[in-house]
């Protein structure tokens, strides 16, 4: 079965430190990969996506993600965390030609401490 | 340009009642998706509609759930005879085309007593 795993329920990081939120996937073919962020009682906001090309993708708010095909991973990173980055982060995949039928991970809560 | 609008934002129903959730896509978007988020879980795909047509409903429960996207007006997700397990946040998203970026609404939170 096709799935997305976010192995950490929560990530804690001090403000100013680099952050990483992990994501691995099990999907046949060459999937499209996404990161979304959700603030309390809000909808999801798009951060970035990987379709093809450079393995390092830059997105909104200073976030970036690195695609690693051999490890089937797509970890989200930011060089210097802000308190305002505290939110719930979701990794998702879709299949080429599969329109926007996204498969989401369970989410990782990021807490950035002052 | 207003974003994806969902209403109601919060809905409380008793077991056996009906719930209707509405979604107005972004202007110019004719592709609508419904996702469900259970507590402490990621979003799960329910249905994909394109004006007046259901394209993929593989994520919809077989009974009690239905969706439509009429030529005029918002998309409707209808849940008949609700049960406590239907309590969740229901998110609508729209896109301008089949592979375009998804824009999510703020969700409708259904509580079944």
């Amino acid at each position: 079965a096709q799935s997305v795993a976010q192995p950490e329920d929560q990530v804690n990081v001090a403000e100013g430190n680099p952050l990483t939120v992990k994501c691995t996937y099990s999907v046949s073919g060459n999937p499209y990969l996404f990161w979304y962020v959700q603030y309390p009682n809000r909808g999801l906001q798009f951060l970035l996506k990987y379709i093809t090309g450079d393995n390092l993708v830059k997105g909104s708010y200073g976030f970036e993600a690195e695609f690693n095909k051999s490890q089937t991973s797509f970890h989200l990173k930011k060089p210097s965390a802000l308190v305002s980055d505290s939110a719930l982060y979701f990794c998702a995949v879709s299949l080429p030609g599969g329109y926007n039928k996204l498969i989401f991970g369970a989410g990782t809560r990021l807490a950035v401490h002052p | 340009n207003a974003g994806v609008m969902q209403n109601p934002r919060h809905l409380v129903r008793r077991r056996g009642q009906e719930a209707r959730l509405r979604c107005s896509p972004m202007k110019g978007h004719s592709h609508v998706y419904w996702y469900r988020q259970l507590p402490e879980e990621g979003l799960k795909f329910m249905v994909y509609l394109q004006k007046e047509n259901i394209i993929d409903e593989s994520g919809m429960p077989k009974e009690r759930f239905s969706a439509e996207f009429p030529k005029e007006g918002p998309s409707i997700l209808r849940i008949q005879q609700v049960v406590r397990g239907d309590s969740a946040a229901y998110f609508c998203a729209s896109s301008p085309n089949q592979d375009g970026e998804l824009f999510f609404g703020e969700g409708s939170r259904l509580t079944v007593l």
Side-chain angles (χ1 to χ4, degrees):
Chain A
Q2 309 194 86
S3 63
V4 176
Q6 293 181 242
E8 302 153 315
D9 289 337
Q10 178 152 333
V11 170
N12 297 299
V13 64
E15 187 175 30
N17 282 1
L19 69 88
T20 298
V21 182
K22 296 179 181 177
C23 172
T24 60
Y25 62 91
S26 175
V27 175
S28 57
N30 296 310
Y32 299 163
L33 300 157
F34 303 81
W35 276 100
Y36 286 85
V37 60
Q38 184 181 31
Y39 296 96
N41 296 316
R42 303 293 298 275
L44 274 69
Q45 295 178 32
F46 171 82
L47 280 179
L48 50 81
K49 69 179 177 183
Y50 172 85
I51 296 178
T52 187
D54 193 347
N55 289 345
L56 187 64
V57 180
K58 293 189 182 299
S60 307
Y61 313 120
F63 283 93
E64 57 189 26
E66 186 168 12
F67 171 62
N68 187 318
K69 188 172 183 178
S70 63
Q71 296 185 3
T72 61
S73 67
F74 190 56
H75 301 332
L76 181 70
K77 301 182 179 183
K78 187 173 182 180
S80 178
L82 299 172
V83 173
S84 58
D85 292 331
S86 299
L88 191 55
Y89 290 80
F90 290 100
C91 180
V93 304
S94 70
L95 295 177
Y99 41 88
N100 282 307
K101 186 176 180 179
L102 298 178
I103 303 168
F104 282 88
T108 297
R109 191 167 299 281
L110 174 66
V112 181
H113 305 284
Chain B
N1 187 9
V4 178
M5 304 301 292
Q6 291 189 246
N7 68 83
R9 292 290 310 277
H10 299 275
L11 182 63
V12 179
R13 285 288 179 266
R14 297 189 181 280
R15 281 180 297 170
Q17 291 184 318
E18 178 179 288
R20 280 186 181 233
L21 309 177
R22 289 175 290 279
C23 169
S24 295
M26 285 184 70
K27 186 176 181 180
H29 288 192
S30 59
H31 299 252
V32 165
Y33 306 77
W34 285 93
Y35 284 81
R36 176 165 64 174
Q37 184 180 31
L38 295 171
E40 306 302 320
E41 294 188 14
L43 280 71
K44 297 286 195 295
F45 169 82
M46 297 182 75
V47 62
Y48 163 39
L49 309 105
Q50 186 184 359
K51 275 295 184 183
E52 299 186 269
N53 293 306
I54 297 175
I55 308 300
D56 183 343
E57 56 181 348
S58 58
M60 289 275 273
K62 295 289 184 257
E63 298 177 344
R64 302 188 296 108
F65 285 70
S66 62
E68 62 177 10
F69 189 16
K71 187 177 181 181
E72 301 291 337
S75 175
I76 307 285
L77 179 67
R78 181 184 180 202
I79 311 172
Q80 296 177 288
Q81 300 174 329
V82 296
V83 300
R84 289 215 173 109
D86 297 333
S87 295
Y90 292 84
F91 289 95
C92 172
S94 71
S95 65
N97 51 52
Q98 182 172 293
D99 290 325
E101 180 182 329
L102 270 185
F103 293 83
F104 282 84
E106 296 196 338
S108 291
R109 281 157 180 81
L110 171 66
T111 300
V112 180
L113 302 177

